[in-house]
Amino acid sequence: MNYLFLDIITTAAILFIISSGLLIIFGVMKVINFAHGVFLTIGGYSSLVVTRFDWDPWFSMPLAFVVGCLLGAFIERAILRFLYHRPLDAILATWGLGIVLGQLIIIAFGREVQFADRPVSGAVELLGAFYSQYRLLLIIFAVLVAAAMWLLLKGTRIGLQTRAVIMNEPLARGLGINSSRVRLITFSFGAGLACLAGAFITPLSSVDPNMGLPWLVSAFMLVLVSGNSFLALAIACLVLGGAQVLASTYINPIIGGLTIAVLAALLLRLRPKGFAYD
Amino acid sequence: MSENTKKSDKATVLECRQLSSGYDDATVIDNINIQITEGQVFGILGKNGMGKSTLLKTIMGFLKPINGEIYYADQPIGGLEPQVLARRGIAYIPQEAAIFQDLTVEENLRLGLPSDRLLPSGMEKVAAYFPIIPQRRKQFAGTLSGGEQKMLLMARALMSDPKLMLVDEISEGLQPTMVENITQVLGQVAAKENTSVLLVEQNVRLVTRVAHSVALLEIGRIVQEMQLDDGADNELALTEMMRV
Amino acid sequence: MTRFIGGVEADHGYLVLPLHVRFRAVCILTALALIVVLIGPFVLDPYTQSVLVRAFLLAVTALTVDLLWGTTGILTFAQGAFFGIGAYAAGLMFTHVGYTAGTVLFALLAAITVSMLVAAFVGWLAFWQGATSLYVAVVTLVLPIVVVQLIYSGGSFTGSSSGLVGFDAPSLSMSGWFWFTGTLMVLLTACAWVFIRSDYGRMLNAIRDNETRNRYLGIPTSHIKITLMMAMAALASMAGFIYACVGTIVAPEHAGFVFGTELVIYVALGGRGTVLGPVIGTIGLEWASAYISSILPFVWTIIIGTIFVVVIVIMPEGLLPPIWRTLSKKLPSRLAKAAKGKGAITFYPLAESDIKTFPANMSQPALDLSSVTKRYGHLKVLQGIDIAVMPGELVGIVGPNGAGKTTLMRCISDGLERSSGVIKVNGKDIGQKSPAAITTLGLGRSFQNTSLFESLSVSECLRLARYRHWQPSKTDTADRIGLPTAAMEVLESTGLTSQLDGKVNNLPHGMKRALELTMVLSLEPNVLLLDEPTAGLTKADRLMIGNILTDLQTRLGLAIVLIEHDFDFVKQVCSRLVVLHRGELVLDGEVQEVVNSDLVQEIYSGHVE
C-alpha cells in the first residue's frame, strides 16, 4: 500500500517534470512541440556525455539545461517563428526536426542502449517501505521546478510579460511588449526544461535514441487537459498518473501505459477544459 | 489638413498622408489625410463599420498600410510593429478586450511601463487623475466595474507619458457621469501634459467637449472636417453633420 | 418570368472543366497510367517490383491522408493504424484459422468493419463542435498508440513485438501483385481526383477553410467528417490487408504512430490536397529510399527530415504545385486554355413549389425565447430574456456595445451557447442542437463581420448555401443552380450578378453584405437573424437593404430579428424595438415609443440618436 502511494506520488512528479517545458511552450505559443521527445533524449545524452568525461553526475543537469536553451533558441529563430499562424504545420515541422535530431544522435552515439552514472543510488526506508532514493529525490525536483516556474512567472517582469502574452498577445504588443522576444525566451526556456527533464529521468532507466518517444504522448495529453495552468497540470499529473499506476498494478502494465492517453482524450471529449478551472 | 486650418507653430505629432488600409485585399479606409499637432485633441466621428477602429489599428501598426504614409514625430512609421510604436510614446486604448482581466490592477499598470522602476512616480500621476485606481491596485482587473475598467485603461496609457494617445470609443456603454469624468481627464491631459489625442467616437457630446478639430468618417473616407470654435453650438452642428 | 444569371467559376489552380471534358481527360490519363503499370513487370527487376508494390499500397493510404488532411483539413496520424488493422486482420485470420477463399473474404470484411467502427468512435471523440484542429490531431495520435499496445499485449496470439510471419495467404507472382496493386492504385487515384473536384469535394474544401460558417449554412460538418473518416479507414485497412497478403508478414510497425507520421510527410512533400502529389510523392520517396537508404542509411533519413522541414516552412503547398505551374507555362497555349476551361454556372429562380420554406403558422411565434440566460463564470451576459417574434414581424434589437446583443444571436443559433432558458424556432425547442440542426428548423443567421469564404468566388459561396436543400454531387459540378426568389432578387438588385466570378475577397464591402444576405436567404429560412446588416454601408445601400427586408417581411411573412446601431435605419424598417442594456431586456415596444423613452435617451446620451 505504501509502495503504491509512493509510486503514485513519484510518477506524478516525473510526469510533471516531463510536461512542464511543453506546457510553457504551448501556453505562450499555442504550438505543440513535437520535438519534445527528442529534447528529452538530448537531456539523456547530456548525462551520458558527463559519464564519458567522468565528470560529477550532478553536472549533467545544468549541462542539459544549457544545451536545451541554446538548441531551443536556435530552433525558434530558424523555424518556428515562421509558423505561428499555422499551428498544425508547426506540429509537422517540429516532428521533422525531431527526426533529424534523432538521426544526428544515432550518428554521434550509436543505436545501442547505454547507461549513465547516477548521482544517487540505493534505497531508503520511508513509511515502512524501502524505496528508491532517486525516485524520492524526483519529488523534490518537481517541487523545485514548480517553485522556479512560479517565481519566474509571478515574481519577474519577463514573467509578467509572458503571462500577458499568453492572455492577450495583441494587447501586450500594443503596450510595448516585444512578443517575439517573449516567444524566443519561452521556447528556449521550455526546451531547456525539457532537456533538464531528460537528464532527471535518465537515472531511472537507460539512454537510447528513442528514450523520449514514450513520454511524448503522455506529456501532450497532460498539457492539453491542463490549459495554461501549472496548478491544473499538477492535478492532472496526480490524477492521471495515479490512474496509470493503479492500472499498471492491478490490470497490467500495457493497459497502464495507455491510461493517460485514453483517459485524457475521453476527458477532453466530455469536458473540453479538462482540469483547467475558471 | 485642409487650407482653412489655422496655422500653428506647434510641432506636428502625427500625420497620415493618403493612407489606405484594411484586411488582406479588402480596403476599409481609403485616402485618409490628417494632421495632429502637439497637445491637440482630434476627434473622428463615424458610425459602426465606417473604419474608425481600422484607422487606429493601422496607425498603431496592427495593420499594414495598403497605400500612403504615416509620420510620427516627423519619422515615417508605416510598417513598424506595435511594440516599437508603444516604446516610442504612442499609447493605444482599444475598444474591446483592452485590459488583462486576470491580472491585478497594478500588474496591468506595470505592463504599460517600460520599467518597473517608474511605477511609484506613475502611480502618483495616476492618483491625481483617478484617485480610485491606486486604492484598487491589488484587485483583479476583471472585478472592476465597467467605468473603473475604462479608468484603468486611461491610467495605464497616462503612466507611460505618451506623446500621442489613440483612443477607441472609450465612452461606449458608460454612464453619463463617467463619460463626464473621462472627458475632463482627456482635456486636462492635452492641456497640461501637451499630449496629442486621436479620439474615435460615436458620442458627439464628448467630442464637442474636448476636441479641437473633428473629422467625419464615412465608409472609410473622411467626408467632412471642421474646427471647433468656442462659443458656437458645435454639438448641434456636429449632430447635423453626422445625420447627413 | 424566368431569369438566368450566368458566370464562370473561378480557377483554383487546378483544372475546372465541364464533366464530359474532365471525364475524358481522366480516362486518357488513367489509361496511360494503366499501360505503364502493365508494362512495368516486363522492364523492372523483381526487387524493384516488390518495392513498388509496397509503394503502391502506401500511396493508396497516403491518398486517404490527403483526402482527410489536404482536402478537408483534418490532420490525421491514424491512417497508419487503420492500415495495421487491415494487415492484422489478414495475419491473424490466416495464422490462426488458415487460408481459404472463405476466410479471405471474412477477414477482409472484418478488417473493413472493425476499422470503420473504430473510425466512427475516433470521429465521435474528435469531431464535436468546438474541438480544435490540434485536439483532433492529438486524438488521431492516440489511436495508433492504443492499437500498437494492444498488439504488444496479445502475446503469441498477435505475435507481440515480432509480429506474425509465414502464414498462408492468397499468393500471386510478384508481377501479378504488381499488376493488381498498380491497377488498384491508379483507379483509386482517378476516383479521388474526380471526387475532390466535384461539388462534394468543394464542400469539403469549404469545411477546411471555415467550418463554423458551414455549420450556419445547415451543413452537418461533424457528420460529414465522421463519414469521410470511416470511408478512408476502410480504404486504408484494405491496403493493409493486401500488404499482409503480399509479404505474408505483419508487424506492430505497420500500425504505429511513426508510420502514420510518415504518411503525413509523404502527403506534405507531394502537395497536400492535390491527390496526384501525394501519390507520386509516396511512390517516388519509397522507391528512392529503398535504394538510397541501404547506401546511406542515416544520412537519408536526415535528408528527408530536412527537406520536410524546409518544405513545411517555405513551401507549405508541397512540391507538385510549383512543378505543375512551371510545366503548365510550357504547355502549348491551346492545351492550357482547354485546361482553364469554362465552368459556366447559371443561377435560376426556383419555382414556388420547390421552395421548402417552413409553412408560416400565423398563430404561433416563429421565434420564442423564454428566460434565456448566459453566464461566463460569475458574469451574467444575458439575464432572463423573453422575446416572442411572430411571422411577419421585423424586430430590431438595440443597445450599446457589450449589452449582449451578439451573444443573444449566438444563443439563438447554437443550442450549446445559452446557460439556461428555452428557445423555440417555429414551435420546436432547439434544445442543445448544433447550428446546422437549428438551421434545418428554419433559422438563417447572418454575421456581423462578414465571415464569408474569402478564397471562394461569389458563385461558389452561393453553391455552398444551397447544399442544405440540394445534395452536392460526388462526381460532378452542377452548372445550373436554383435559388429562392428572394435570394435571386437580392442578387439582381445589388448588382452581385456581375461579380459572380470574382473572389469574395475582392468585393467591395457593400457587396459582401449583400452576398451574406443572399446566402442566408438561399437557406430558405422563415426566421432571419441579422447582425448589423447595414454596418459600413452607404446611405443608398442601407435604403436598398431596408427595402428588401420590408419586402421579405410583408410579402413572404418572414420573422426578422436584426441588431442595429443605426437608429435612422431601425426607425425606417422595424415594426418593433427591443432594448438590451447590460444583458437585460429593458424595453420592448413600438418603435416611436421606445426611441422617445427616457431610458434610451440616457443610454445614448451624447450619441446621434
Side-chain angles (χ1 to χ4, degrees), chain C residues 511-562:
Chain C
M511 289 280 194
K512 282 188 183 169
R513 306 253 42 155
L515 177 58
E516 178 95 36
L517 187 61
T518 318
M519 284 169 75
V520 176
L521 289 173
S522 300
L523 302 171
E524 299 173 19
N526 70 341
V527 181
L528 266 185
L529 298 185
L530 307 174
D531 199 343
E532 297 205 35
T534 68
L537 293 189
T538 58
K539 193 122 191 167
D541 286 343
R542 262 181 271 169
L543 202 66
M544 183 198 70
I545 298 260
N547 289 336
I548 293 169
L549 293 183
T550 9
D551 185 54
L552 290 170
Q553 169 208 6
T554 49
R555 212 161 51 82
L556 299 176
L558 262 62
I560 304 173
V561 179
L562 62 92

Short mmCIF file of all heavy atoms in Angstrom, two decimals, chain C residues 511-562:
data_model
loop_
_atom_site.label_atom_id
_atom_site.label_comp_id
_atom_site.label_asym_id
_atom_site.label_seq_id
_atom_site.Cartn_x
_atom_site.Cartn_y
_atom_site.Cartn_z
N MET C 511 -21.08 44.92 -51.24
CA MET C 511 -21.36 43.69 -51.97
C MET C 511 -21.24 42.48 -51.06
O MET C 511 -22.01 41.53 -51.16
CB MET C 511 -20.35 43.54 -53.11
CG MET C 511 -20.55 44.53 -54.22
SD MET C 511 -21.90 43.99 -55.29
CE MET C 511 -21.65 45.06 -56.67
N LYS C 512 -20.25 42.53 -50.17
CA LYS C 512 -20.08 41.42 -49.24
C LYS C 512 -21.31 41.25 -48.37
O LYS C 512 -21.79 40.14 -48.14
CB LYS C 512 -18.85 41.64 -48.35
CG LYS C 512 -17.55 41.35 -49.02
CD LYS C 512 -16.42 41.42 -48.02
CE LYS C 512 -15.09 41.18 -48.71
NZ LYS C 512 -13.96 41.49 -47.85
N ARG C 513 -21.83 42.39 -47.90
CA ARG C 513 -23.03 42.33 -47.06
C ARG C 513 -24.19 41.76 -47.86
O ARG C 513 -24.99 40.97 -47.37
CB ARG C 513 -23.39 43.71 -46.52
CG ARG C 513 -22.26 44.38 -45.80
CD ARG C 513 -22.41 44.43 -44.31
NE ARG C 513 -22.92 43.23 -43.69
CZ ARG C 513 -22.69 42.88 -42.45
NH1 ARG C 513 -21.96 43.64 -41.69
NH2 ARG C 513 -23.19 41.80 -41.95
N ALA C 514 -24.28 42.18 -49.13
CA ALA C 514 -25.35 41.69 -49.97
C ALA C 514 -25.22 40.19 -50.20
O ALA C 514 -26.20 39.44 -50.15
CB ALA C 514 -25.36 42.43 -51.30
N LEU C 515 -23.98 39.75 -50.40
CA LEU C 515 -23.75 38.32 -50.61
C LEU C 515 -24.14 37.54 -49.35
O LEU C 515 -24.77 36.48 -49.42
CB LEU C 515 -22.28 38.07 -50.96
CG LEU C 515 -21.88 36.61 -51.13
CD1 LEU C 515 -22.70 35.93 -52.21
CD2 LEU C 515 -20.40 36.49 -51.44
N GLU C 516 -23.73 38.08 -48.22
CA GLU C 516 -24.08 37.45 -46.95
C GLU C 516 -25.59 37.26 -46.85
O GLU C 516 -26.09 36.19 -46.50
CB GLU C 516 -23.56 38.35 -45.81
CG GLU C 516 -23.87 37.88 -44.43
CD GLU C 516 -22.76 37.07 -43.80
OE1 GLU C 516 -21.59 37.38 -44.03
OE2 GLU C 516 -23.08 36.11 -43.09
N LEU C 517 -26.31 38.29 -47.20
CA LEU C 517 -27.77 38.22 -47.13
C LEU C 517 -28.31 37.21 -48.15
O LEU C 517 -29.21 36.42 -47.84
CB LEU C 517 -28.35 39.62 -47.38
CG LEU C 517 -29.86 39.78 -47.19
CD1 LEU C 517 -30.26 39.45 -45.76
CD2 LEU C 517 -30.30 41.19 -47.53
N THR C 518 -27.76 37.24 -49.34
CA THR C 518 -28.21 36.28 -50.37
C THR C 518 -27.98 34.85 -49.89
O THR C 518 -28.83 33.98 -50.07
CB THR C 518 -27.43 36.49 -51.68
OG1 THR C 518 -27.29 37.87 -51.93
CG2 THR C 518 -28.13 35.82 -52.83
N MET C 519 -26.83 34.61 -49.28
CA MET C 519 -26.53 33.26 -48.80
C MET C 519 -27.53 32.82 -47.74
O MET C 519 -28.03 31.70 -47.76
CB MET C 519 -25.10 33.18 -48.26
CG MET C 519 -24.07 33.14 -49.35
SD MET C 519 -22.39 33.37 -48.73
CE MET C 519 -22.09 31.77 -47.98
N VAL C 520 -27.82 33.73 -46.82
CA VAL C 520 -28.77 33.37 -45.77
C VAL C 520 -30.14 33.10 -46.38
O VAL C 520 -30.81 32.13 -46.01
CB VAL C 520 -28.85 34.50 -44.71
CG1 VAL C 520 -29.91 34.18 -43.68
CG2 VAL C 520 -27.52 34.67 -44.03
N LEU C 521 -30.54 33.92 -47.34
CA LEU C 521 -31.85 33.72 -47.95
C LEU C 521 -31.91 32.43 -48.77
O LEU C 521 -32.96 31.82 -48.91
CB LEU C 521 -32.20 34.91 -48.84
CG LEU C 521 -32.52 36.19 -48.08
CD1 LEU C 521 -32.70 37.35 -49.03
CD2 LEU C 521 -33.76 36.02 -47.21
N SER C 522 -30.75 32.02 -49.30
CA SER C 522 -30.71 30.78 -50.07
C SER C 522 -31.03 29.56 -49.20
O SER C 522 -31.32 28.49 -49.71
CB SER C 522 -29.33 30.59 -50.70
OG SER C 522 -29.06 31.66 -51.55
N LEU C 523 -30.91 29.73 -47.90
CA LEU C 523 -31.24 28.62 -46.99
C LEU C 523 -32.74 28.44 -46.87
O LEU C 523 -33.21 27.51 -46.22
CB LEU C 523 -30.66 28.89 -45.60
CG LEU C 523 -29.16 29.09 -45.51
CD1 LEU C 523 -28.78 29.57 -44.13
CD2 LEU C 523 -28.46 27.78 -45.81
N GLU C 524 -33.51 29.36 -47.45
CA GLU C 524 -34.97 29.36 -47.36
C GLU C 524 -35.45 29.36 -45.90
O GLU C 524 -36.24 28.52 -45.50
CB GLU C 524 -35.54 28.13 -48.10
CG GLU C 524 -35.18 28.14 -49.57
CD GLU C 524 -35.60 26.86 -50.27
OE1 GLU C 524 -36.46 26.15 -49.74
OE2 GLU C 524 -35.06 26.60 -51.35
N PRO C 525 -34.96 30.31 -45.13
CA PRO C 525 -35.38 30.37 -43.74
C PRO C 525 -36.72 31.09 -43.62
O PRO C 525 -37.12 31.80 -44.54
CB PRO C 525 -34.29 31.21 -43.09
CG PRO C 525 -33.88 32.16 -44.16
CD PRO C 525 -34.09 31.45 -45.48
N ASN C 526 -37.42 30.89 -42.53
CA ASN C 526 -38.54 31.79 -42.27
C ASN C 526 -38.31 32.61 -41.01
O ASN C 526 -39.14 33.41 -40.62
CB ASN C 526 -39.88 31.07 -42.26
CG ASN C 526 -40.03 30.17 -41.07
OD1 ASN C 526 -39.02 29.83 -40.45
ND2 ASN C 526 -41.24 29.81 -40.72
N VAL C 527 -37.17 32.37 -40.34
CA VAL C 527 -36.73 33.26 -39.28
C VAL C 527 -35.34 33.75 -39.66
O VAL C 527 -34.45 32.96 -39.89
CB VAL C 527 -36.66 32.54 -37.92
CG1 VAL C 527 -36.23 33.51 -36.84
CG2 VAL C 527 -37.98 31.90 -37.57
N LEU C 528 -35.19 35.06 -39.74
CA LEU C 528 -33.89 35.62 -40.12
C LEU C 528 -33.28 36.35 -38.95
O LEU C 528 -33.93 37.17 -38.31
CB LEU C 528 -34.09 36.67 -41.22
CG LEU C 528 -33.96 36.29 -42.68
CD1 LEU C 528 -34.08 37.54 -43.53
CD2 LEU C 528 -32.66 35.60 -42.94
N LEU C 529 -32.02 36.03 -38.65
CA LEU C 529 -31.29 36.79 -37.65
C LEU C 529 -30.20 37.56 -38.37
O LEU C 529 -29.36 36.97 -39.01
CB LEU C 529 -30.61 35.86 -36.64
CG LEU C 529 -31.43 34.95 -35.77
CD1 LEU C 529 -30.50 34.24 -34.80
CD2 LEU C 529 -32.47 35.74 -35.01
N LEU C 530 -30.23 38.87 -38.28
CA LEU C 530 -29.24 39.66 -38.99
C LEU C 530 -28.46 40.52 -38.00
O LEU C 530 -29.04 41.28 -37.24
CB LEU C 530 -29.93 40.56 -40.02
CG LEU C 530 -30.87 39.85 -40.99
CD1 LEU C 530 -31.60 40.86 -41.85
CD2 LEU C 530 -30.10 38.88 -41.87
N ASP C 531 -27.14 40.36 -38.04
CA ASP C 531 -26.30 41.12 -37.11
C ASP C 531 -25.72 42.32 -37.86
O ASP C 531 -24.86 42.16 -38.71
CB ASP C 531 -25.19 40.22 -36.57
CG ASP C 531 -24.58 40.77 -35.30
OD1 ASP C 531 -24.78 41.97 -35.03
OD2 ASP C 531 -23.92 40.01 -34.58
N GLU C 532 -26.20 43.48 -37.52
CA GLU C 532 -25.77 44.74 -38.17
C GLU C 532 -25.66 44.63 -39.69
O GLU C 532 -24.57 44.75 -40.24
CB GLU C 532 -24.42 45.17 -37.59
CG GLU C 532 -24.54 45.47 -36.12
CD GLU C 532 -23.46 46.44 -35.65
OE1 GLU C 532 -23.10 47.33 -36.44
OE2 GLU C 532 -23.01 46.31 -34.52
N PRO C 533 -26.79 44.40 -40.33
CA PRO C 533 -26.72 44.22 -41.79
C PRO C 533 -26.29 45.48 -42.53
O PRO C 533 -25.87 45.38 -43.69
CB PRO C 533 -28.14 43.83 -42.17
CG PRO C 533 -29.00 44.33 -41.07
CD PRO C 533 -28.16 44.29 -39.83
N THR C 534 -26.34 46.62 -41.90
CA THR C 534 -26.01 47.84 -42.66
C THR C 534 -24.70 48.48 -42.24
O THR C 534 -24.34 49.53 -42.74
CB THR C 534 -27.10 48.92 -42.50
OG1 THR C 534 -27.07 49.37 -41.15
CG2 THR C 534 -28.46 48.36 -42.82
N ALA C 535 -23.95 47.82 -41.32
CA ALA C 535 -22.71 48.43 -40.86
C ALA C 535 -21.79 48.65 -42.03
O ALA C 535 -21.56 47.76 -42.84
CB ALA C 535 -22.04 47.55 -39.82
N GLY C 536 -21.28 49.86 -42.14
CA GLY C 536 -20.31 50.16 -43.19
C GLY C 536 -20.91 50.36 -44.56
O GLY C 536 -20.19 50.37 -45.55
N LEU C 537 -22.23 50.53 -44.63
CA LEU C 537 -22.86 50.71 -45.94
C LEU C 537 -23.17 52.17 -46.21
O LEU C 537 -23.36 52.96 -45.29
CB LEU C 537 -24.16 49.91 -46.02
CG LEU C 537 -24.02 48.39 -46.02
CD1 LEU C 537 -25.34 47.74 -46.31
CD2 LEU C 537 -22.98 47.94 -47.03
N THR C 538 -23.26 52.52 -47.47
CA THR C 538 -23.66 53.87 -47.83
C THR C 538 -25.16 54.02 -47.60
O THR C 538 -25.88 53.04 -47.44
CB THR C 538 -23.41 54.14 -49.32
OG1 THR C 538 -24.15 53.17 -50.06
CG2 THR C 538 -21.95 54.05 -49.67
N LYS C 539 -25.59 55.26 -47.61
CA LYS C 539 -26.99 55.54 -47.40
C LYS C 539 -27.85 54.80 -48.44
O LYS C 539 -28.86 54.20 -48.12
CB LYS C 539 -27.22 57.05 -47.52
CG LYS C 539 -28.56 57.49 -47.03
CD LYS C 539 -28.39 58.52 -45.93
CE LYS C 539 -29.73 58.75 -45.26
NZ LYS C 539 -29.65 59.47 -44.02
N ALA C 540 -27.39 54.82 -49.68
CA ALA C 540 -28.16 54.17 -50.75
C ALA C 540 -28.27 52.67 -50.51
O ALA C 540 -29.35 52.08 -50.63
CB ALA C 540 -27.49 54.45 -52.09
N ASP C 541 -27.13 52.06 -50.12
CA ASP C 541 -27.15 50.63 -49.85
C ASP C 541 -28.07 50.30 -48.68
O ASP C 541 -28.79 49.31 -48.69
CB ASP C 541 -25.74 50.13 -49.53
CG ASP C 541 -24.88 50.05 -50.78
OD1 ASP C 541 -25.45 50.06 -51.88
OD2 ASP C 541 -23.65 49.99 -50.64
N ARG C 542 -28.02 51.17 -47.66
CA ARG C 542 -28.86 50.94 -46.48
C ARG C 542 -30.32 50.95 -46.86
O ARG C 542 -31.11 50.12 -46.44
CB ARG C 542 -28.58 52.03 -45.43
CG ARG C 542 -27.61 51.58 -44.36
CD ARG C 542 -27.40 52.68 -43.36
NE ARG C 542 -26.30 53.54 -43.80
CZ ARG C 542 -26.02 54.71 -43.25
NH1 ARG C 542 -26.75 55.17 -42.26
NH2 ARG C 542 -25.01 55.41 -43.69
N LEU C 543 -30.65 51.91 -47.71
CA LEU C 543 -32.02 52.05 -48.17
C LEU C 543 -32.45 50.78 -48.91
O LEU C 543 -33.54 50.23 -48.70
CB LEU C 543 -32.11 53.26 -49.11
CG LEU C 543 -33.49 53.86 -49.28
CD1 LEU C 543 -33.93 54.48 -47.97
CD2 LEU C 543 -33.46 54.91 -50.39
N MET C 544 -31.54 50.29 -49.73
CA MET C 544 -31.86 49.11 -50.53
C MET C 544 -32.07 47.89 -49.63
O MET C 544 -33.07 47.16 -49.76
CB MET C 544 -30.72 48.84 -51.50
CG MET C 544 -30.96 47.70 -52.42
SD MET C 544 -29.41 47.18 -53.12
CE MET C 544 -28.64 46.47 -51.68
N ILE C 545 -31.15 47.68 -48.70
CA ILE C 545 -31.30 46.54 -47.77
C ILE C 545 -32.61 46.68 -47.01
O ILE C 545 -33.35 45.71 -46.80
CB ILE C 545 -30.10 46.48 -46.79
CG1 ILE C 545 -28.81 46.27 -47.56
CG2 ILE C 545 -30.33 45.42 -45.73
CD1 ILE C 545 -28.27 44.88 -47.58
N GLY C 546 -32.90 47.92 -46.59
CA GLY C 546 -34.15 48.17 -45.87
C GLY C 546 -35.35 47.74 -46.68
O GLY C 546 -36.26 47.07 -46.17
N ASN C 547 -35.36 48.13 -47.97
CA ASN C 547 -36.49 47.75 -48.81
C ASN C 547 -36.61 46.24 -48.96
O ASN C 547 -37.72 45.70 -48.91
CB ASN C 547 -36.34 48.38 -50.20
CG ASN C 547 -36.56 49.88 -50.13
OD1 ASN C 547 -37.23 50.36 -49.21
ND2 ASN C 547 -35.98 50.61 -51.07
N ILE C 548 -35.49 45.58 -49.12
CA ILE C 548 -35.52 44.13 -49.26
C ILE C 548 -36.11 43.51 -48.00
O ILE C 548 -36.96 42.61 -48.07
CB ILE C 548 -34.10 43.58 -49.52
CG1 ILE C 548 -33.61 44.04 -50.89
CG2 ILE C 548 -34.08 42.07 -49.44
CD1 ILE C 548 -32.15 43.80 -51.14
N LEU C 549 -35.67 44.02 -46.85
CA LEU C 549 -36.14 43.43 -45.60
C LEU C 549 -37.65 43.64 -45.42
O LEU C 549 -38.37 42.70 -45.04
CB LEU C 549 -35.39 44.03 -44.40
CG LEU C 549 -33.91 43.67 -44.32
CD1 LEU C 549 -33.29 44.25 -43.06
CD2 LEU C 549 -33.69 42.16 -44.35
N THR C 550 -38.12 44.84 -45.68
CA THR C 550 -39.56 45.07 -45.53
C THR C 550 -40.36 44.20 -46.49
O THR C 550 -41.43 43.70 -46.16
CB THR C 550 -39.94 46.55 -45.76
OG1 THR C 550 -38.81 47.24 -46.28
CG2 THR C 550 -40.37 47.22 -44.50
N ASP C 551 -39.78 44.01 -47.66
CA ASP C 551 -40.44 43.17 -48.64
C ASP C 551 -40.53 41.72 -48.15
O ASP C 551 -41.57 41.07 -48.23
CB ASP C 551 -39.65 43.24 -49.96
CG ASP C 551 -40.35 42.48 -51.06
OD1 ASP C 551 -41.53 42.78 -51.29
OD2 ASP C 551 -39.72 41.60 -51.67
N LEU C 552 -39.43 41.21 -47.61
CA LEU C 552 -39.42 39.85 -47.09
C LEU C 552 -40.45 39.69 -45.97
O LEU C 552 -41.12 38.67 -45.85
CB LEU C 552 -38.03 39.50 -46.52
CG LEU C 552 -36.90 39.33 -47.52
CD1 LEU C 552 -35.58 39.24 -46.79
CD2 LEU C 552 -37.14 38.08 -48.34
N GLN C 553 -40.52 40.75 -45.17
CA GLN C 553 -41.41 40.71 -44.01
C GLN C 553 -42.88 40.73 -44.46
O GLN C 553 -43.67 39.88 -44.05
CB GLN C 553 -41.09 41.92 -43.13
CG GLN C 553 -42.07 42.19 -42.04
CD GLN C 553 -42.10 43.66 -41.67
OE1 GLN C 553 -41.46 44.49 -42.32
NE2 GLN C 553 -42.83 43.98 -40.64
N THR C 554 -43.21 41.67 -45.32
CA THR C 554 -44.62 41.82 -45.67
C THR C 554 -45.08 40.79 -46.70
O THR C 554 -46.14 40.20 -46.55
CB THR C 554 -44.90 43.23 -46.23
OG1 THR C 554 -43.91 43.51 -47.25
CG2 THR C 554 -44.79 44.28 -45.16
N ARG C 555 -44.27 40.55 -47.72
CA ARG C 555 -44.73 39.68 -48.79
C ARG C 555 -44.58 38.21 -48.44
O ARG C 555 -45.46 37.40 -48.70
CB ARG C 555 -43.97 40.00 -50.07
CG ARG C 555 -44.76 39.80 -51.35
CD ARG C 555 -44.12 40.56 -52.50
NE ARG C 555 -42.72 40.28 -52.62
CZ ARG C 555 -42.20 39.20 -53.24
NH1 ARG C 555 -43.01 38.32 -53.78
NH2 ARG C 555 -40.91 39.01 -53.30
N LEU C 556 -43.43 37.85 -47.86
CA LEU C 556 -43.19 36.43 -47.59
C LEU C 556 -43.49 36.03 -46.15
O LEU C 556 -43.40 34.88 -45.78
CB LEU C 556 -41.74 36.06 -47.93
CG LEU C 556 -41.36 36.27 -49.40
CD1 LEU C 556 -39.88 35.97 -49.60
CD2 LEU C 556 -42.20 35.40 -50.31
N GLY C 557 -43.79 37.02 -45.33
CA GLY C 557 -44.16 36.70 -43.95
C GLY C 557 -43.00 36.18 -43.11
O GLY C 557 -43.20 35.40 -42.18
N LEU C 558 -41.77 36.58 -43.43
CA LEU C 558 -40.64 36.14 -42.62
C LEU C 558 -40.62 36.88 -41.28
O LEU C 558 -41.02 38.03 -41.20
CB LEU C 558 -39.33 36.44 -43.36
CG LEU C 558 -38.69 35.27 -44.12
CD1 LEU C 558 -39.61 34.78 -45.21
CD2 LEU C 558 -37.36 35.67 -44.70
N ALA C 559 -40.17 36.18 -40.28
CA ALA C 559 -39.92 36.84 -39.00
C ALA C 559 -38.46 37.26 -39.01
O ALA C 559 -37.58 36.44 -39.25
CB ALA C 559 -40.18 35.88 -37.85
N ILE C 560 -38.19 38.54 -38.81
CA ILE C 560 -36.82 39.03 -38.92
C ILE C 560 -36.40 39.71 -37.62
O ILE C 560 -37.14 40.53 -37.08
CB ILE C 560 -36.68 40.03 -40.09
CG1 ILE C 560 -37.17 39.38 -41.39
CG2 ILE C 560 -35.25 40.52 -40.23
CD1 ILE C 560 -37.23 40.30 -42.57
N VAL C 561 -35.23 39.33 -37.13
CA VAL C 561 -34.67 39.99 -35.96
C VAL C 561 -33.36 40.61 -36.39
O VAL C 561 -32.52 39.92 -36.96
CB VAL C 561 -34.40 38.99 -34.82
CG1 VAL C 561 -33.79 39.71 -33.63
CG2 VAL C 561 -35.68 38.28 -34.43
N LEU C 562 -33.19 41.91 -36.14
CA LEU C 562 -31.91 42.48 -36.53
C LEU C 562 -31.31 43.33 -35.43
O LEU C 562 -32.00 44.01 -34.69
CB LEU C 562 -32.02 43.25 -37.85
CG LEU C 562 -32.90 44.46 -38.01
CD1 LEU C 562 -32.11 45.72 -37.72
CD2 LEU C 562 -33.38 44.50 -39.45
#
